[in-house]
Amino acid sequence: MIGGFSLSNIQSLCRKYTNLSVTDIEKLIEIETTLSYYAELTDCYMFIDCMMENLPHAIVVAEAFPQTESGLYEKSVIGKFVFESFEPAVFAAFRNKEKSSITRAITQEGITVEQNVVPLFNDQQQVIAVLIQEKKVEMQTTPNDDLRQMPFALIEHIVEANSQPIPVVSDLLVESIILTNHENKVIYSNPAGYRFISELSGLARFDNVALNKILPFLQEVYDKGDDVFFLEITIDRKSFIVKKIPIRDQNDKVTLLIIHDLTELKLKENELMMKTFAIREIHHRVKNNLQTVTSLLRLQMRNDLSAASASAFQEALNRIYSISSVYELILENEDNAEEKVDVIALSKKIGYKMVGTSNTPSIQLTFHHDNVQLFCHSKKAVSLALIICELLQNALKYAFIGREEGAIDIQFQQDASTISLYISDNGVGMQEVKASFGMEIITRLVEYDLAGTFSIIPSEQGTHTQIQFPVSEEVFILND
């Protein structure tokens, strides 16, 4: 059987949690229809896992169980998250793009299994999911086995795959490794675990005391029963995440707790947050200062100025507005920690503003970007804003002399490594290229800031300009 989930559930999970395309999802649906046959043929449990888009985890999107008397899983695990600590072979297959195996992995219900993982590729040879085959590992125990030694085989796989279970491994970990019995009493802890319990409880010895009694915040962890469970806790300015893995034994029940200290990470996150707030405050002040300069220039323009002086003032205002637009777009998105600027939105903001304040009464401004989303960081965005501003100023100033209407077209194109920006008009055309302050700004910004090229394309009508620059870490494209 397929765990009671229809194909639409697979589609919804992939669309909600992954960035897979429609074609990729359809390929997984096709593979999913054969899972039950392979499960029966191999007498193994079959799964399809996909990487999540916004979290460093995988998610189970399909499953098939063999018809056996005693199953590994009591209920469906579709929709459950998969963590690398528990199933390293899954993530190794994603990273290495090749088959991966592990003799001991821990299932969603805390059972030890042998696991084989095969990556699934799309037509572009990208790994879109992994196919997992699981078979239960029969643990060999004798009545004289010490309960304290039994769980090390289950701990070991988290640290080093395919090696012999060595108790000293857990002693070398910075994470706290704690084992408790059916009464929640500690039967083993590594040095980090001992320090963790002792520091928070104030006790030097705690071997005969239930852990949830001396550390009450762990009660929620134990209340989750047989489920693998994660809980993030903050106490006395200390933050940590508790991972609970129930381990089933024939004679007793053992719970494995893996506790990772997040205090230093949280402090660094707070420091980063404060720096982000400080940067945003700087952006606010820059934007406000630019608006103050704009106001001063407008006041000056109210005095009697010659036509040449008024034109120069307006050009300066346009340049200031272009720079200010970059900071406005950054500040509009409060989650924009990386200061990414949408270049298409930036060009539209500048274009509509300049056309709306131009002396030519009827200018039709058109944008073409073929569903391309072009982003860049703030420094590059300022350069692009000034380039677009200068090219539009030239078109508005010279292209439509003696005309009451005209058209300007702004087009973005891209290939694998290059972005092209075309700005053209249907005006009188440029008879010759004259050296000017605006042309010097464009040339310097394109060549030095964008590492690109600027050219004027010959045309029978109007002026056509082309700017090409490479895709980089600071200038990048997202396709819809």
Side-chain angles (χ1 to χ4, degrees), residues 375-407:
F375 290 87
C376 62
H377 294 298
S378 56
K379 181 180 178 181
K380 301 291 184 184
V382 169
S383 299
L384 274 168
L386 287 171
I387 291 168
I388 294 169
C389 171
E390 294 302 325
L391 291 173
L392 287 176
Q393 280 193 152
N394 285 342
L396 293 170
K397 187 175 182 180
Y398 301 111
F400 309 111
I401 296 176
R403 300 188 181 188
E404 295 184 356
E405 61 181 22

Side-chain angles (χ1 to χ4, degrees), residues 289-341:
N289 289 339
L290 289 173
Q291 289 176 344
T292 301
V293 173
T294 299
S295 299
L296 291 173
L297 289 175
R298 293 193 184 281
L299 286 173
Q300 184 67 36
M301 289 179 68
R302 292 179 181 177
N303 296 327
D304 292 334
L305 296 175
S306 64
S309 297
S311 176
F313 268 81
Q314 186 58 53
E315 289 178 5
L317 285 170
N318 287 337
R319 290 167 186 145
I320 293 171
Y321 178 80
S322 299
I323 298 173
S324 178
S325 296
V326 173
Y327 294 98
E328 287 180 8
L329 288 175
I330 292 174
L331 293 170
E332 282 177 6
N333 185 357
E334 295 187 358
D335 297 328
N336 193 0
E338 298 180 2
E339 299 184 14
K340 293 185 296 187
V341 179

Side-chain angles (χ1 to χ4, degrees), residues 137-416:
V137 174
E138 298 296 337
M139 302 296 293
Q140 300 296 325
T141 60
T142 64
N144 296 325
D145 281 342
D146 185 356
L147 182 60
R148 294 173 183 264
Q149 299 300 323
M150 179 274 296
F152 283 114
L154 302 175
I155 300 172
E156 172 271 333
H157 87 281
I158 301 172
V159 183
E160 185 178 351
N162 302 320
S163 65
Q164 294 299 318
I166 303 174
V168 75
V169 168
S170 65
D171 294 346
L172 301 177
L173 297 178
V174 295
E175 289 87 357
S176 299
I177 305 294
I178 303 169
L179 296 170
T180 59
N181 62 14
H182 65 286
E183 295 179 333
N184 300 338
K185 295 180 179 180
V186 178
I187 57 176
Y188 168 81
S189 69
N190 66 346
Y194 178 88
R195 290 192 298 271
F196 174 83
I197 300 173
S198 181
E199 181 178 349
L200 292 182
S201 68
L203 301 176
R205 294 185 59 85
F206 37 77
D207 47 342
N208 288 319
V209 183
L211 191 58
N212 55 313
K213 299 299 182 183
I214 58 176
L215 300 178
F217 57 83
L218 291 178
Q219 185 63 51
E220 182 179 354
V221 177
Y222 284 106
D223 287 343
K224 292 299 179 179
D226 291 337
D227 291 334
V228 176
F229 184 65
F230 281 60
L231 179 65
E232 186 173 331
I233 302 172
T234 300
I235 295 178
D236 297 332
R237 296 184 180 181
K238 286 186 173 294
S239 299
F240 42 88
I241 187 167
V242 181
K243 309 175 186 179
K244 184 201 73 171
I245 307 171
I247 300 171
R248 296 172 180 172
D249 182 59
Q250 293 178 351
N251 302 316
D252 209 342
K253 176 182 177 182
V254 175
T255 300
L256 167 64
L257 301 179
I258 304 174
I259 303 174
H260 181 66
D261 192 345
L262 301 176
T263 304
E264 185 176 353
L265 178 61
K266 290 291 186 181
L267 289 174
K268 292 186 180 297
E269 286 180 351
N270 289 334
E271 290 176 4
L272 181 60
M273 187 179 299
M274 294 303 298
K275 289 180 180 178
T276 301
F277 287 147
I279 291 172
R280 292 188 66 83
E281 179 61 26
I282 291 172
H283 289 337
H284 270 292
R285 294 187 181 185
V286 170
K287 181 175 74 71
N288 292 339
N289 289 339
L290 289 173
Q291 289 176 344
T292 301
V293 173
T294 299
S295 299
L296 291 173
L297 289 175
R298 293 193 184 281
L299 286 173
Q300 184 67 36
M301 289 179 68
R302 292 179 181 177
N303 296 327
D304 292 334
L305 296 175
S306 64
S309 297
S311 176
F313 268 81
Q314 186 58 53
E315 289 178 5
L317 285 170
N318 287 337
R319 290 167 186 145
I320 293 171
Y321 178 80
S322 299
I323 298 173
S324 178
S325 296
V326 173
Y327 294 98
E328 287 180 8
L329 288 175
I330 292 174
L331 293 170
E332 282 177 6
N333 185 357
E334 295 187 358
D335 297 328
N336 193 0
E338 298 180 2
E339 299 184 14
K340 293 185 296 187
V341 179
D342 185 336
V343 175
I344 308 298
L346 176 65
S347 63
K348 290 181 178 180
K349 188 177 182 69
I350 295 170
Y352 291 134
K353 174 70 174 180
M354 293 180 62
V355 168
T357 57
S358 69
N359 293 325
T360 304
S362 180
I363 298 294
Q364 181 179 357
L365 185 61
T366 307
F367 291 87
H368 304 280
H369 46 88
D370 298 330
N371 295 323
V372 171
Q373 289 185 309
L374 173 61
F375 290 87
C376 62
H377 294 298
S378 56
K379 181 180 178 181
K380 301 291 184 184
V382 169
S383 299
L384 274 168
L386 287 171
I387 291 168
I388 294 169
C389 171
E390 294 302 325
L391 291 173
L392 287 176
Q393 280 193 152
N394 285 342
L396 293 170
K397 187 175 182 180
Y398 301 111
F400 309 111
I401 296 176
R403 300 188 181 188
E404 295 184 356
E405 61 181 22
I408 299 176
D409 187 87
I410 298 178
Q411 182 175 10
F412 289 91
Q413 293 181 355
Q414 62 94 15
D415 56 28

Side-chain angles (χ1 to χ4, degrees), residues 401-470:
I401 296 176
R403 300 188 181 188
E404 295 184 356
E405 61 181 22
I408 299 176
D409 187 87
I410 298 178
Q411 182 175 10
F412 289 91
Q413 293 181 355
Q414 62 94 15
D415 56 28
S417 59
T418 305
I419 299 166
S420 299
L421 166 62
Y422 300 91
I423 297 182
S424 57
D425 62 66
N426 64 348
V428 298
M430 185 179 291
Q431 304 302 322
E432 60 177 328
V433 180
K434 297 181 180 180
S436 65
F437 180 58
M439 282 296 180
E440 184 179 354
I441 289 176
I442 295 170
T443 302
R444 287 182 175 273
L445 290 176
V446 171
E447 293 180 356
Y448 294 102
D449 283 11
L450 300 182
T453 58
F454 168 65
S455 57
I456 298 176
I457 303 172
S459 175
E460 295 181 357
Q461 182 183 24
T463 301
H464 298 256
T465 58
Q466 178 191 54
I467 296 167
Q468 290 185 314
F469 51 95

